[in-house]
Amino acid sequence: GSNAKTGDLHPAGNKAAAEAAEKLSPFVVPAVLGFFRSISLGGRESLQDLLRLLTLWFRHGAHPDVMAALDQGFASVPVGTWLAVIPQVIARLGTGEAAVRVGVLRLLCSIALEHPQAFIYPVTVAASEAQS
């Protein structure tokens, strides 16, 4: 029909994305756990590992298995670990994925409770960017 192009993007696209998430999950969960392990050991690559972990979280964090791995990982590292990536985490407050947004809020609240002074500048910058 006349809507063949747009029709193809919706139901099949969502199903394909869900199937891709199912297929990817077996690789994502061990990667998430591996990055948390590396971060907890605190090597020189910790910041790079944090950024890669954030990428996995923001892309796949809505998947139940990934959520479980993230919860396990968050419990395994000190809250201060996240100080270096506060701006990146704040930037995801507006994500459309509810499960990821809830996780972002929980992490930001944990950081704010333990390290309120580290929060002032990134939140001020984010607020001023939101107004402009």
Side-chain angles (χ1 to χ4, degrees), residues 33 39 83 87 91 103:
L33 295 173
I39 292 162
L83 293 175

Side-chain angles (χ1 to χ4, degrees), residues 62-97:
H63 192 284
D65 295 341
V66 177
M67 276 193 282
L70 287 164
D71 289 342
Q72 179 183 339
F74 285 129
S76 72
V77 296
V79 170
T81 301
W82 304 99
L83 293 175
V85 293
I86 289 174
Q88 290 87 339
V89 177
I90 289 173
R92 292 303 176 136
L93 274 172
T95 186
E97 189 58 61

